[in-house]
Amino acid sequence: MFESYTIKDIAKALGLSTSTVSRALNGSYEIGTETKKLVLEYAEKINYRPNPIALSLKEQKSHSIGVVVCEVANNYFSQAINGIESIAYNRGYHVIITQTHESFDRETANVQHLLSRHVDGLLVSLSAETTDVSQYKYLHDKGFPIVFFDRVAADIDTHKVIVNNFKGTFEATELLINTGFKKIAHLTNSNNLLISRERFNGYKAALEKHNISFKPQYLKYCDHGGMIQAEVEKAVTELLSLEDRPDAVFIASDRLTTSCLYILKKMGLKVPDDIAIAGFTNSDVAELFNPPLTVIRQPAFQIGQIATEMLIKTIESKRPVEEYITREVETELIIRSSSQKVN
């Protein structure tokens, strides 16, 4: 059984008043830097955590944050959730995670459930099926704190955290072209998602820069984003059955990239000998695949942290927030042997 400490315990140990300790923990400007440092270091040492039930009774807040993602098992989202939790728990908030499995109906139900649990705000990455964002617009108009990350609602003016999808995709496609591939297919998520459209635009722009005409038959959408293996298998099989079949494929999402490698192996095809691969993935074992994968990696942990900081700032704002920002962070292209040209 762990020992539970209170603000009174900290005050007694440091010889301060409870109100001084409380203000220091809440980052009040009225408390000096040295006192704040003393209180925060001691709180960390004894693993102090605010009592969420006591806070809720006092302030009519649950001190919990609702998170809506497609799938926790997705490498990108598992890392983003770690970033979310790293900030939230240190600020006295609990995190309630829900999964949509790319279903709009499930997303709607998840949001209703989170609201019934009186969460103080939402961190949302839209499902692949979601085109109707009216529930979020309604909540936002009522002043309920919402921050979108990764898969954002373009029409809602609130805080958002995204990556430079166009640039990341452009760089990866151009790498394939400069390596010597000219017949590059594009495997992507649902076209409902803004990130899918941004990544497609980056792919197309790289082709145009190098005077390679875009072939519509080289574009394949997987509406469930790799969660249904048969859907990915069908898309890959159709690409490889083309008379003028592609010599490389650029893949626009995490799960699709790793799924595609498995499917190609299953079909008895060698990467990059038969077809080269580059794609988005945050898999920690991308370099251990055979062959190691060329990837666009997103700073998912950092994105989770930034989004959570934005949300807590909105929740704790004394005045209604009227100015919103979109934070765009850069991706990183990591070149490995899956995109190499074999003579």
Side-chain angles (χ1 to χ4, degrees):
M1 185 72 182
F2 63 90
E3 194 170 352
S4 181
Y5 291 92
T6 67
I7 285 176
K8 283 183 183 175
D9 294 326
I10 299 174
K12 189 177 176 183
L14 299 177
L16 299 169
S17 71
T18 52
S19 62
T20 299
V21 171
S22 178
R23 286 177 185 151
L25 289 168
N26 289 318
S28 171
Y29 64 88
E30 299 170 298
I31 305 299
T33 309
E34 284 304 311
T35 306
K36 258 189 218 172
K37 187 169 181 278
L38 181 73
V39 170
L40 290 170
E41 283 181 356
Y42 186 78
E44 190 66 32
K45 182 180 158 190
I46 63 170
N47 200 28
Y48 166 76
R49 292 290 178 267
N51 181 329
I53 297 184
L55 286 168
S56 179
L57 290 170
K58 185 182 169 190
E59 302 174 21
Q60 296 303 302
K61 285 181 180 278
S62 64
H63 281 262
S64 60
I65 290 168
V67 179
V68 180
V69 295
C70 69
E71 185 192 28
V72 175
N74 180 304
N75 293 298
Y76 171 83
F77 287 112
S78 65
Q79 290 165 26
I81 288 165
N82 284 343
I84 290 166
E85 290 184 333
S86 76
I87 298 295
Y89 287 129
N90 283 333
R91 298 286 294 273
Y93 287 82
H94 281 275
V95 178
I96 305 171
I97 299 157
T98 64
Q99 303 182 85
T100 65
H101 296 285
E102 304 293 19
S103 160
F104 169 70
D105 289 342
R106 190 175 289 199
E107 182 175 313
T108 304
N110 287 351
V111 170
Q112 293 306 313
H113 173 72
L114 290 167
L115 294 173
S116 76
R117 294 182 68 171
H118 305 289
V119 294
D120 299 329
L122 291 174
L123 290 169
V124 179
S125 191
L126 298 171
S127 87
E129 275 187 1
T130 302
T131 53
D132 176 6
V133 294
S134 55
Q135 67 170 342
Y136 299 115
K137 188 154 190 354
Y138 173 81
L139 289 168
H140 180 59
D141 289 346
K142 294 282 183 192
F144 188 79
I146 302 172
V147 174
F148 289 99
F149 69 102
D150 187 49
R151 301 157 165 215
V152 304
D155 301 336
I156 300 177
D157 185 23
T158 187
H159 290 315
K160 294 164 190 171
V161 190
I162 57 171
V163 295
N164 193 331
N165 287 299
F166 180 93
K167 186 183 171 196
T169 302
F170 183 93
E171 288 175 351
T173 308
E174 187 167 62
L175 167 73
L176 289 167
I177 294 166
N178 289 338
T179 306
F181 299 102
K182 298 292 183 273
K183 297 188 285 186
I184 304 165
H186 182 40
L187 191 64
T188 187
N189 276 352
S190 166
N191 195 41
N192 290 337
L193 295 168
L194 179 62
I195 58 167
S196 297
R197 301 194 291 274
E198 290 172 345
R199 290 171 186 181
F200 170 69
N201 289 339
Y203 157 78
K204 206 171 173 188
L207 296 181
E208 284 171 7
K209 180 186 171 184
H210 293 272
N211 299 312
I212 299 170
S213 55
F214 165 67
K215 295 183 177 178
Q217 65 268 34
Y218 280 2
L219 173 64
K220 292 291 177 187
Y221 291 105
C222 292
D223 289 344
H224 295 89
M227 291 178 68
I228 298 175
Q229 192 83 342
E231 183 181 52
V232 191
E233 210 157 319
K234 181 174 181 283
V236 173
T237 303
E238 285 173 0
L239 284 173
L240 296 174
S241 301
L242 291 169
E243 194 172 329
D244 188 23
R245 88 182 214 181
D247 55 8
V249 58
F250 169 72
I251 309 168
S253 81
D254 198 308
R255 190 177 260 277
L256 279 179
T257 302
T258 48
S259 294
C260 190
L261 191 60
Y262 287 126
I263 288 162
L264 290 169
K265 278 190 176 179
K266 189 175 155 186
M267 294 170 78
L269 295 171
K270 286 190 174 178
V271 177
D273 306 48
D274 299 311
I275 189 163
I277 283 185
F280 275 82
T281 183
N282 269 48
S283 171
D284 289 326
V285 293
E287 63 187 317
L288 302 179
F289 281 104
N290 184 19
L293 281 174
T294 291
V295 300
I296 299 125
R297 189 175 176 91
Q298 303 176 79
F301 185 86
Q302 182 194 356
I303 288 166
Q305 289 191 314
I306 294 167
T308 309
E309 289 279 16
M310 283 177 160
L311 184 65
I312 292 173
K313 193 174 178 184
T314 305
I315 290 167
E316 296 182 351
S317 174
K318 301 294 183 217
R319 297 188 182 93
V321 178
E322 291 172 350
E323 286 189 16
Y324 298 99
I325 60 168
T326 295
R327 276 284 300 275
E328 184 179 82
V329 295
E330 293 298 324
T331 56
E332 180 188 6
L333 178 63
I334 302 168
I335 303 167
R336 301 192 184 101
S337 55
S338 72
S339 61
Q340 286 177 0
K341 189 83 171 170
V342 179
N343 296 322

